[in-house]
Structure formats: C-alpha cells, structure tokens
Amino acid sequence: MSTKDYLEKDYYKTLGVTKGASADEIKKSYRKLARKYHPDANEGDAKAEARFKEISEAYTVLSDDKRRKEYDDARSLFGSGVRMPGSSGSGGGYGFDLGDLFGGSSGSAGGRLGDLLGGVFGNRGGTTTSQQARPRRGADVETETTLPFSDAIDGVTVSLRLTGEGPCKVCKGTGAKAGTVPKVCPTCEGTGQGSRNLGNFAFSEPCRTCRGRGLVVDDPCAECSGSGRAMSTRTIQARIPAGVGDGQRIKIAGKGASGERGGPPGDLYVRVHVQPHPHGVFTRSGSNLLVTIPLTFPEAALGAEIKVPSHRGMPVSLRIPAGTPNGRTFRVRGKGVRRKDGTYGDLLVTVNVQVPQELGDKARDALENFRNATAGPDPRAEVLRQANG
Ligand SMILES: [Zn+2]
Ligand SMILES: [Zn+2]
C-alpha cells in the first residue's frame, strides 16, 4: 500500500463499518464480506475478485493498530476521499507515490506535504519540521586575554574584541537589499523542509530552494550576498575576578554567540594569561605571594625588625629572629592573593643572606675579631668524615 492509497481509499467504507468501529466489529464485518466475495464462491467473477482484494487490503490496514492509526492520521490531515492529482483512477498499480508527485522543488506545496507524510508514517530519519524550527542556543565562544601581574591579583574589567559570525549589519540579518524584505519560500512554504522519495516514504531534508531558511530574497543585500550573516567584531566588557591565575579559564555567562530563533546566547570563556611582575619582586603560588628579600649577615645572626614589601599597600613589618639561616621562609598571614571565598592567601618571605662584596678597614677588623672570637672545630669535619665512610 502506498501513501496514495491511504488518501484515496476509504477502508472503513470498504468494510462497511464506521470510523469508530471496534477491532471486533471490523473483524466480524471482514469475515462476512470475505465469505461473500471469496473467489472460491464466485468462480469466474472478476468483479467479485476485485472486491475481495479491496476487502483484504482494507482489513490488512484496519486490523493492525499501528497501521490503522497511520491511516487515520493521514486522512485527518488531508481529508478523506482525496483524489490525488495524476491518479489514473481507482484500483490500478502502484506506479508512483506521493514522493514522486511532490518530491524535489516542483514549486508546489509538495515539500511540506511530503514532510508531513514522512512524519505521519513514522519516518524519523530526517530532521522534522519541529526540530528544525526549535530555538537554538548560541555557540560557546573562547577567547584569550593577558593581564598585568597586579590586575590578576586585584581583578579588573577588560575590553575583549570578539570576532564571529553574526547578523549582517547592513540588512539586519534579513539578507534583503535595503527597502526590500525577504518573502516566504514558495517551494517549502516557509518550513525550510523539502522531501526526498525513498520507496513509499518521503524523507525530509532542507529545502533546496531556500536551503532550509524558509525565506527567499529577490534583491540580495550587497554586503552579505543575501545570506544575512556576516563576520563582525564586537567589543564586550568582561569582569575578571580577583585572584585569577595564569592559564585559568573564566566563564562569562551569556556573552557567547547569540542564539537562533530566540534561543539563549552561548557562554564566553576567557583564557587568562598573567604577566610576571614587572620587576620580578613577586611571584605567585596559588593564592600565596612569594617574595625574596636580602638580609645582612648581622641581621641574620643578631635578629632584626625589618620592612618587607606587600602587594599594593604599605610595607609590612617582619621580625627576624637571631640566628636565622639563609633561605628561611617566613609567613605573613593574609597578605597574599584574594581567594574565591573572600579569604586571602599569605605573603611568603624568603631571606637571602648577603655576603659583603667589599670591606672597609673597619669592617675587616671587625670580621677578623669575629673570626677569632668564634674559632672552634672545623665546621666541615663532619662532612669530610662522612664523605669517606
Ligand atoms: Zn546583508
Ligand atoms: Zn524553501
């Protein structure tokens, strides 16, 4: 049975039942008619034979719940008893079907009809009209920005230039020349769907006339050649939160590509690169700020109260205890980088004990006195012994 049969033939009438007939009523009526027109009981009667075939065909469809529903759906869409154009009369062969009649870009409403039938008959191979017309969320967009060391710590608002495909500015996305408007595609009547025929079924595919847009343009916009789309650059302001780290990706919701057919925009992802501190004073380790400061030998040996730099603020005091070795790290709490939860990391101060490069006479005397005062066993005796053991 082809789609044409579904529209042309009234199987209920053939079986002498009403449209709302139960499965039982259909069965009963079929048995009665089948007995009456069975070829065995009507030898040589071509009319009876043809009638018997019609009855069998009707019963095949109406006795199968799924096929009966397809049949009902098709007829409720297009009315019953439709005579399809080109039909050669009742009965006859299956030489063509709706796909042939309406497929391609024949200029009639066929694309749409074919698509509807494709859906009615359970063909989900193609994109259905409803899927095609659904609002679509815009794409996510990725970009990069490079921040000075301090801005990454404090947070900053940056201007980002984004290049992407968007509506053509000249025609505002219509694709039509100024003063004209696009018109509904005559091939698909605006659905954007065409159909391709495979056997008895019409598969839907984007309309070839309008390429699925549903609209056609007589006078195309010169800027975008009628596509309505153009590469454009937009600048957006994006807030980069305090404490962002090098290589981190910041999500800025709703700043991606705009949606289609009223869909929401996508998100923007900004990959952040952080420049080193301009003078190399600070480095970062997560939410901690690291700084290395010079310490004189007397400060290390005797202890001292010193000032160390902090990020964007007054220097902070740090007490160096007597006998501090070179390379020791001190922690100044809360003077690091702001974390997501609003707390702050620490400032980690590493001391670098200086050895005097040039000595005045006085300093030399003092150091020689110091040497004499601290003379004792060879400090390398232990390591020398261990090296040979
Ligand atoms: Zn344009
Ligand atoms: Zn079209």
Side-chain angles (χ1 to χ4, degrees):
M1 267 134 284
S2 73
T3 47
K4 177 175 74 72
D5 289 308
Y6 277 4
L7 298 185
E8 283 191 359
K9 296 183 178 175
D10 190 341
Y11 292 145
Y12 293 102
K13 202 173 157 195
T14 302
L15 290 181
V17 295
T18 62
K19 200 171 168 295
S22 70
D24 248 288
E25 287 171 61
I26 289 170
K27 198 191 239 170
K28 251 188 210 161
S29 183
Y30 163 68
R31 281 186 175 160
K32 204 179 87 192
L33 291 167
R35 266 198 301 274
K36 188 174 168 191
Y37 292 104
H38 199 280
D40 287 356
N42 301 275
E43 263 191 53
D45 186 345
K47 257 187 169 176
E49 198 187 325
R51 185 92 173 90
F52 180 75
K53 278 180 185 165
E54 280 174 27
I55 293 159
S56 300
E57 188 187 316
Y59 184 66
T60 305
V61 172
L62 297 188
S63 62
D64 180 327
D65 284 350
K66 196 169 158 252
R67 294 176 77 174
R68 182 178 177 185
K69 188 178 182 306
E70 286 174 353
Y71 173 73
D72 288 343
D73 287 346
R75 289 173 71 84
S76 68
L77 272 173
F78 301 107
S80 52
V82 179
R83 285 280 292 212
M84 300 314 292
S87 171
S88 56
S90 63
Y94 302 109
F96 63 90
D97 63 27
L98 281 176
D100 290 329
L101 284 172
F102 296 111
S105 47
S106 58
S108 71
R112 181 178 216 172
L113 184 59
D115 178 48
L116 284 169
L117 288 172
V120 166
F121 296 126
N123 158 34
R124 303 288 178 223
T127 313
T128 66
T129 304
S130 61
Q131 280 169 340
Q132 187 79 174
R134 200 175 293 163
R136 209 169 64 185
R137 182 181 174 275
D140 290 339
V141 172
E142 195 134 351
T143 189
E144 297 183 300
T145 189
T146 298
L147 302 182
F149 187 84
S150 288
D151 286 349
I153 293 175
D154 298 333
V156 66
T157 299
V158 293
S159 289
L160 299 171
R161 273 166 68 83
L162 303 174
T163 302
E165 200 192 61
C168 167
K169 284 200 169 67
V170 175
C171 62
K172 298 190 168 60
T174 66
K177 197 174 163 183
T180 71
V181 288
K183 62 179 193 188
V184 171
C185 172
T187 304
C188 63
E189 294 196 320
T191 64
Q193 292 290 300
S195 70
R196 193 156 49 91
N197 164 43
L198 282 178
N200 287 335
F201 298 110
F203 282 75
S204 63
E205 62 180 11
C207 169
R208 286 176 199 179
T209 307
C210 62
R211 292 186 184 160
R213 196 181 162 207
L215 297 171
V216 289
V217 171
D218 286 333
D219 282 320
C221 162
E223 181 74 16
C224 62
S225 308
S227 71
R229 311 285 291 172
M231 294 302 284
S232 65
T233 301
R234 62 194 165 109
T235 302
I236 68 148
Q237 305 294 309
R239 180 68 198 168
I240 306 294
V244 65
D246 186 44
Q248 205 175 317
R249 215 163 72 125
I250 305 291
K251 176 182 172 179
I252 297 168
K255 293 290 188 182
S258 45
E260 287 176 40
R261 290 179 290 274
D267 298 325
L268 173 66
Y269 288 91
V270 184
R271 175 83 59 187
V272 176
H273 304 285
V274 180
Q275 288 175 333
H277 188 272
H279 305 293
V281 173
F282 296 105
T283 54
R284 273 185 54 188
S285 173
S287 62
N288 291 332
L289 266 186
L290 277 51
V291 64
T292 296
I293 48 125
L295 201 64
T296 66
F297 177 72
E299 284 171 336
L302 301 173
E305 185 86 20
I306 63 167
K307 297 281 186 199
V308 296
S310 71
H311 171 70
R312 281 199 184 154
M314 297 294 287
V316 292
S317 290
L318 181 64
R319 203 183 68 78
I320 304 292
T324 292
N326 182 46
R328 174 163 287 181
T329 298
F330 296 90
R331 183 181 296 267
V332 183
R333 296 207 179 274
K335 290 293 181 182
V337 179
R338 192 174 198 274
R339 298 192 188 98
K340 255 187 179 169
D341 63 5
T343 63
Y344 283 82
D346 302 327
L347 176 64
L348 301 181
V349 184
T350 302
V351 298
N352 180 19
V353 177
Q354 307 287 294
V355 174
Q357 300 294 301
E358 284 176 36
L359 291 171
D361 289 346
K362 225 174 154 184
R364 181 179 298 274
D365 285 350
L367 268 182
E368 280 170 357
N369 285 336
F370 174 75
R371 182 180 60 193
N372 296 337
T374 56
D378 184 347
R380 288 161 295 277
E382 179 86 348
V383 73
L384 283 167
R385 190 173 53 75
Q386 285 171 344
N388 297 325

